[in-house]
Every structure is written in structure tokens, then in C-alpha cells.
Amino acid sequence: MPLAQNPLSVEVELPREDVALITVDGYLDVDTATEFQAHLANQLHHGRRHFLIDLASVPFMDSSGMNIILRVYQETRKTEGSVHVISPTPAVRRILDLTGVSITVPISESVDEALARVDAGPDLPEEPGV
């Protein structure tokens, strides 16, 4: 079986018991999304409620990656958790902005900034008509 053209590297660190820092390196697309999703699902299974997803080393992300981020966001809301994207590359940031994902999922410039947002509590978008 040939190796993927653009392999993905995913590192998981636990800065706190309920916080997973997921550092992604490589293309996050239809070919690599399953691996990314498996890491997030594993952390959800182990009770992590807050996800800090570092995209500083992701030169490209397609809708597969965005959908996984949005799915984990929906899962964490059930447990009063959160998802924060950290330092997306300009190309990835543009996609997040154009699709509206950056309105739903907060974007931070550093791990410390994202942890401060976790400590500050929910940063939920306003519901229409509220």
C-alpha cells in the first residue's frame, strides 16, 4: 500500500486533565481526516471537554477537516466544553473565515490565549431572537 502523498502528524498533549492540545502538522483533507478524527474521538472517550487545535503547521484544510472541527464542537457543547483553533496559517484562516467556522469556533493566537478563554467560560454565539 503506498504512503499518503501528504502524511498528517497529530500530537496530543494534556495541559490539564480535561484539556487536550491537539497539534496538527500537514495537509488536513479527505485523505487524512480519518486519522485526525480518531485522535479527537479518543480524547472525547477519555473525558476531555476542551480541545485546543493548533493548526500553525497546516498549509491546507478542506471541508473534511472543517466538518470534524464542527462535529467535535457540537460534542463538547453537550458537556459544557469548548473548541479553540490556535494559530491557523493564513490559507486555513481564510477558509475558516469564508465558511463562517471562525464565528462559531474561537480562534486564538497562542495556547495561553486559548487556555485563558477556557478559564473565562463559554463563548457561545448569540441565538437569533434572544
Side-chain angles (χ1 to χ4, degrees), residues 16-33:
R16 299 184 190 159
E17 181 62 30
D18 64 344
V19 178
L21 170 60
I22 314 290
T23 302
V24 185
D25 185 356
Y27 285 64
L28 188 48
D29 57 22
V30 68
D31 292 330
T32 59

mmCIF file of all heavy atoms in Angstrom, residues 16-33:
data_model
loop_
_atom_site.group_PDB
_atom_site.id
_atom_site.type_symbol
_atom_site.label_atom_id
_atom_site.label_comp_id
_atom_site.label_asym_id
_atom_site.label_seq_id
_atom_site.Cartn_x
_atom_site.Cartn_y
_atom_site.Cartn_z
ATOM 1 N N ARG A 16 -4.015 20.121 30.942
ATOM 2 C CA ARG A 16 -4.854 19.929 32.133
ATOM 3 C C ARG A 16 -5.624 18.626 31.945
ATOM 4 O O ARG A 16 -5.744 18.129 30.834
ATOM 5 C CB ARG A 16 -5.844 21.083 32.284
ATOM 6 C CG ARG A 16 -5.184 22.426 32.458
ATOM 7 C CD ARG A 16 -6.226 23.486 32.700
ATOM 8 N NE ARG A 16 -5.613 24.797 32.637
ATOM 9 C CZ ARG A 16 -6.276 25.896 32.404
ATOM 10 N NH1 ARG A 16 -7.573 25.868 32.211
ATOM 11 N NH2 ARG A 16 -5.652 27.059 32.373
ATOM 12 N N GLU A 17 -6.205 18.132 33.001
ATOM 13 C CA GLU A 17 -6.915 16.850 32.934
ATOM 14 C C GLU A 17 -8.043 16.846 31.899
ATOM 15 O O GLU A 17 -8.244 15.865 31.200
ATOM 16 C CB GLU A 17 -7.475 16.491 34.315
ATOM 17 C CG GLU A 17 -8.211 15.175 34.355
ATOM 18 C CD GLU A 17 -7.357 13.961 34.016
ATOM 19 O OE1 GLU A 17 -6.148 13.981 34.291
ATOM 20 O OE2 GLU A 17 -7.907 12.988 33.472
ATOM 21 N N ASP A 18 -8.783 17.957 31.795
ATOM 22 C CA ASP A 18 -9.925 17.981 30.871
ATOM 23 C C ASP A 18 -9.642 18.757 29.585
ATOM 24 O O ASP A 18 -10.552 19.040 28.815
ATOM 25 C CB ASP A 18 -11.170 18.535 31.563
ATOM 26 C CG ASP A 18 -11.025 19.989 31.986
ATOM 27 O OD1 ASP A 18 -9.884 20.503 32.021
ATOM 28 O OD2 ASP A 18 -12.056 20.621 32.271
ATOM 29 N N VAL A 19 -8.376 19.094 29.338
ATOM 30 C CA VAL A 19 -7.990 19.865 28.159
ATOM 31 C C VAL A 19 -7.008 19.065 27.306
ATOM 32 O O VAL A 19 -5.985 18.615 27.807
ATOM 33 C CB VAL A 19 -7.336 21.211 28.550
ATOM 34 C CG1 VAL A 19 -6.897 21.975 27.310
ATOM 35 C CG2 VAL A 19 -8.289 22.062 29.385
ATOM 36 N N ALA A 20 -7.349 18.911 26.028
ATOM 37 C CA ALA A 20 -6.446 18.251 25.079
ATOM 38 C C ALA A 20 -5.929 19.297 24.102
ATOM 39 O O ALA A 20 -6.711 20.023 23.487
ATOM 40 C CB ALA A 20 -7.176 17.146 24.327
ATOM 41 N N LEU A 21 -4.609 19.371 23.988
ATOM 42 C CA LEU A 21 -3.966 20.214 22.987
ATOM 43 C C LEU A 21 -3.591 19.296 21.828
ATOM 44 O O LEU A 21 -2.774 18.401 21.975
ATOM 45 C CB LEU A 21 -2.721 20.894 23.565
ATOM 46 C CG LEU A 21 -1.812 21.614 22.559
ATOM 47 C CD1 LEU A 21 -2.564 22.713 21.822
ATOM 48 C CD2 LEU A 21 -0.592 22.181 23.276
ATOM 49 N N ILE A 22 -4.241 19.520 20.691
ATOM 50 C CA ILE A 22 -4.032 18.702 19.505
ATOM 51 C C ILE A 22 -3.216 19.534 18.514
ATOM 52 O O ILE A 22 -3.699 20.541 18.002
ATOM 53 C CB ILE A 22 -5.374 18.312 18.844
ATOM 54 C CG1 ILE A 22 -6.396 17.819 19.865
ATOM 55 C CG2 ILE A 22 -5.156 17.351 17.693
ATOM 56 C CD1 ILE A 22 -6.112 16.499 20.472
ATOM 57 N N THR A 23 -1.975 19.126 18.271
ATOM 58 C CA THR A 23 -1.110 19.839 17.335
ATOM 59 C C THR A 23 -1.073 19.053 16.030
ATOM 60 O O THR A 23 -0.682 17.886 16.009
ATOM 61 C CB THR A 23 0.312 19.988 17.911
ATOM 62 O OG1 THR A 23 0.211 20.679 19.170
ATOM 63 C CG2 THR A 23 1.195 20.785 16.973
ATOM 64 N N VAL A 24 -1.510 19.707 14.960
ATOM 65 C CA VAL A 24 -1.644 19.063 13.658
ATOM 66 C C VAL A 24 -0.554 19.606 12.735
ATOM 67 O O VAL A 24 -0.319 20.807 12.689
ATOM 68 C CB VAL A 24 -3.043 19.326 13.061
ATOM 69 C CG1 VAL A 24 -3.232 18.562 11.764
ATOM 70 C CG2 VAL A 24 -4.138 18.969 14.061
ATOM 71 N N ASP A 25 0.086 18.708 11.992
ATOM 72 C CA ASP A 25 1.128 19.101 11.050
ATOM 73 C C ASP A 25 0.883 18.368 9.732
ATOM 74 O O ASP A 25 0.876 17.137 9.704
ATOM 75 C CB ASP A 25 2.499 18.719 11.613
ATOM 76 C CG ASP A 25 3.656 19.201 10.752
ATOM 77 O OD1 ASP A 25 3.412 19.764 9.667
ATOM 78 O OD2 ASP A 25 4.808 18.991 11.168
ATOM 79 N N GLY A 26 0.649 19.122 8.673
ATOM 80 C CA GLY A 26 0.418 18.522 7.366
ATOM 81 C C GLY A 26 -0.927 18.926 6.803
ATOM 82 O O GLY A 26 -1.648 19.736 7.376
ATOM 83 N N TYR A 27 -1.241 18.353 5.666
ATOM 84 C CA TYR A 27 -2.495 18.650 4.987
ATOM 85 C C TYR A 27 -3.648 17.965 5.710
ATOM 86 O O TYR A 27 -3.599 16.765 5.966
ATOM 87 C CB TYR A 27 -2.442 18.174 3.536
ATOM 88 C CG TYR A 27 -1.606 19.046 2.645
ATOM 89 C CD1 TYR A 27 -0.237 19.185 2.846
ATOM 90 C CD2 TYR A 27 -2.184 19.746 1.600
ATOM 91 C CE1 TYR A 27 0.540 19.994 2.045
ATOM 92 C CE2 TYR A 27 -1.412 20.560 0.775
ATOM 93 C CZ TYR A 27 -0.056 20.675 1.004
ATOM 94 O OH TYR A 27 0.704 21.479 0.200
ATOM 95 N N LEU A 28 -4.687 18.723 6.031
ATOM 96 C CA LEU A 28 -5.873 18.186 6.687
ATOM 97 C C LEU A 28 -6.974 18.140 5.636
ATOM 98 O O LEU A 28 -7.659 19.127 5.387
ATOM 99 C CB LEU A 28 -6.256 19.069 7.874
ATOM 100 C CG LEU A 28 -7.355 18.590 8.802
ATOM 101 C CD1 LEU A 28 -7.158 17.146 9.220
ATOM 102 C CD2 LEU A 28 -7.420 19.477 10.020
ATOM 103 N N ASP A 29 -7.073 16.979 4.974
ATOM 104 C CA ASP A 29 -8.007 16.863 3.861
ATOM 105 C C ASP A 29 -8.689 15.498 3.891
ATOM 106 O O ASP A 29 -8.561 14.759 4.864
ATOM 107 C CB ASP A 29 -7.295 17.103 2.527
ATOM 108 C CG ASP A 29 -6.114 16.166 2.301
ATOM 109 O OD1 ASP A 29 -6.061 15.084 2.923
ATOM 110 O OD2 ASP A 29 -5.240 16.509 1.486
ATOM 111 N N VAL A 30 -9.395 15.177 2.838
ATOM 112 C CA VAL A 30 -10.164 13.938 2.796
ATOM 113 C C VAL A 30 -9.279 12.704 3.015
ATOM 114 O O VAL A 30 -9.722 11.719 3.588
ATOM 115 C CB VAL A 30 -10.986 13.843 1.480
ATOM 116 C CG1 VAL A 30 -10.062 13.666 0.275
ATOM 117 C CG2 VAL A 30 -12.030 12.758 1.555
ATOM 118 N N ASP A 31 -8.016 12.770 2.608
ATOM 119 C CA ASP A 31 -7.110 11.631 2.776
ATOM 120 C C ASP A 31 -6.611 11.458 4.207
ATOM 121 O O ASP A 31 -6.204 10.361 4.592
ATOM 122 C CB ASP A 31 -5.890 11.775 1.853
ATOM 123 C CG ASP A 31 -6.251 11.649 0.387
ATOM 124 O OD1 ASP A 31 -7.228 10.923 0.075
ATOM 125 O OD2 ASP A 31 -5.574 12.274 -0.445
ATOM 126 N N THR A 32 -6.599 12.521 4.985
ATOM 127 C CA THR A 32 -6.020 12.460 6.330
ATOM 128 C C THR A 32 -7.041 12.717 7.443
ATOM 129 O O THR A 32 -6.714 12.578 8.617
ATOM 130 C CB THR A 32 -4.881 13.488 6.463
ATOM 131 O OG1 THR A 32 -5.401 14.794 6.216
ATOM 132 C CG2 THR A 32 -3.754 13.189 5.479
ATOM 133 N N ALA A 33 -8.250 13.075 7.084
ATOM 134 C CA ALA A 33 -9.258 13.467 8.078
ATOM 135 C C ALA A 33 -9.604 12.345 9.052
ATOM 136 O O ALA A 33 -9.861 12.601 10.228
ATOM 137 C CB ALA A 33 -10.515 13.976 7.373
#
